Amino acid sequence: HRSRCNSRSIWISEAMEDGSRKPSEVVLERGVVTGEAEKPGPESRQLVGLPDLSLWERCFEVFATLTTGVIFIAKLLNPLSLFIASCALLWIAWGVFQLFRHGGRILSSWGVRVDQPNLKHSFILPSLFSLVALGAICIGTAVQNRSIYFDNWHLWLIFALYPFYGVLQHVMLQSFLMRHLSWLVTGKDDYSVLQAFLKERNLRNFLATLGCVLVSATAFAMVHWPDIWLMAGTGMMGVPWAVEYLLHRNVLPLGLYHGFVGTLFYFWFMGRDPLRGMF
């Protein structure tokens, strides 16, 4: 049956074998009903219209991310405040360039998203991990006979600033590194290797997912070289953080919890004030 209509798509009632009826969407092309189409889920609808990045843009983001990591690990820019300022200026300049080139759509590609229900869903796994991490930090602090305290203005300053730096780190790690590794396999920014594995469980998709997670978690740990405790903590955090990004492609909860948990890890568990020696 062929019919004409001015709208792009309509909902009809489709007869079932048992006599009941269910709603079904049919797609119209140039006003002609051509067939039934699957209704997209909320996650996919929010990512419609992502910019199509060129190969040189992807290569630049990967190369610049790796170079930033090497400079940080090798301590080529000292003091730390000079590195942070230089890193921020470089990536802010790149961000402004990309915004002019692609518009606001580039923010979704980077994982800077506040759309619902994505934002709500993307907070679940990081929240659970952070609660466990907070308990482990408190236990470790007590075992080392260190104090759990709040009467230090440095702690509150880092607590307020670190999450913003954390978001920048995870834009680099997840969006500028792992996203492009996933793209090499799936050919899409809005369809990760983990989503491919959940849809089609085969060895290729499993190894691709495992590789992306391990690369991201290892890179996260290595930028804290040579501090063994920091490498261990960030390496463990890097696994659920990578999985979460592959599921929902949102860096905001990753950066925020990284900053909050990292602040308490520094001041309580390690007994260290990161502001000392920064300048």
Side-chain angles (χ1 to χ4, degrees):
H1 174 68
R2 296 168 69 87
S3 64
R4 294 189 175 272
C5 181
N6 292 328
S7 61
R8 181 69 179 170
S9 63
I10 60 174
W11 287 90
I12 64 174
S13 293
E14 178 179 290
M16 305 292 289
E17 292 182 359
D18 59 0
S20 62
R21 304 177 74 82
K22 70 171 185 179
S24 177
E25 184 183 20
V26 292
V27 176
L28 307 180
E29 294 182 358
R30 296 180 182 176
V32 180
V33 181
T34 57
E36 184 176 338
E38 181 182 355
K39 183 181 179 182
E43 300 285 340
S44 60
R45 283 202 301 270
Q46 296 289 355
L47 288 177
V48 171
L50 287 181
D52 186 15
L53 300 183
S54 60
L55 182 60
W56 76 264
E57 289 174 294
R58 298 182 186 276
C59 291
F60 173 82
E61 289 181 350
V62 172
F63 175 78
T65 297
L66 294 176
T67 301
T68 301
V70 170
I71 292 174
F72 180 74
I73 294 172
K75 302 295 188 292
L76 299 180
L77 278 179
N78 286 310
L80 180 59
S81 56
L82 176 61
F83 168 81
I84 293 176
S86 302
C87 179
L89 287 175
L90 167 67
W91 289 113
I92 288 173
W94 176 251
V96 171
F97 171 75
Q98 289 293 76
L99 283 170
F100 275 106
R101 181 175 171 84
H102 299 290
R105 298 179 303 159
I106 195 66
L107 295 175
S108 293
S109 290
W110 295 339
V112 182
R113 305 174 56 187
V114 294
D115 54 275
Q116 298 291 359
N118 178 276
L119 186 63
K120 177 178 66 177
H121 293 164
S122 62
F123 263 95
I124 296 175
L125 181 58
S127 297
L128 294 175
F129 178 87
S130 297
L131 286 174
V132 174
L134 179 60
I137 289 172
C138 291
I139 293 173
T141 302
V143 168
Q144 298 178 86
N145 292 320
R146 292 198 170 111
S147 300
I148 294 176
Y149 59 91
F150 296 96
D151 56 341
N152 185 324
W153 72 269
H154 282 192
L155 183 149
W156 290 107
L157 180 62
I158 295 295
F159 204 74
L161 297 179
Y162 200 171
F164 295 99
Y165 183 49
V167 170
L168 175 60
Q169 287 187 57
H170 290 290
V171 168
M172 295 170 59
L173 278 172
Q174 268 70 50
S175 300
F176 292 167
L177 182 61
M178 188 172 65
R179 174 171 60 96
H180 296 316
L181 295 178
S182 176
W183 173 83
L184 287 175
V185 179
T186 66
K188 299 178 181 179
D189 283 326
D190 58 352
Y191 187 61
S192 71
V193 289
L194 178 55
Q195 291 169 321
F197 174 70
L198 294 176
K199 182 177 181 180
E200 186 178 353
R201 290 176 172 81
N202 56 42
L203 182 61
R204 174 180 178 272
N205 291 336
F206 171 76
L207 292 178
T209 301
L210 180 63
C212 284
V213 171
L214 289 179
V215 167
S216 178
T218 302
F220 193 21
M222 287 302 299
V223 296
H224 295 87
W225 173 271
D227 195 302
I228 299 301
W229 280 116
L230 281 176
M231 291 180 66
T234 53
M236 288 188 291
M237 176 183 280
V239 173
W241 262 223
V243 171
E244 171 56 41
Y245 180 82
L246 291 173
L247 283 174
H248 296 113
R249 301 173 299 279
N250 196 326
V251 300
L252 294 182
L254 309 183
L256 292 176
Y257 277 122
H258 175 185
F260 296 150
V261 174
T263 298
L264 300 181
F265 189 84
Y266 267 114
F267 281 91
W268 293 356
F269 181 83
M270 300 186 67
R272 183 188 304 176
D273 184 348
L275 281 181
R276 299 187 183 279
M278 180 174 289
F279 302 97

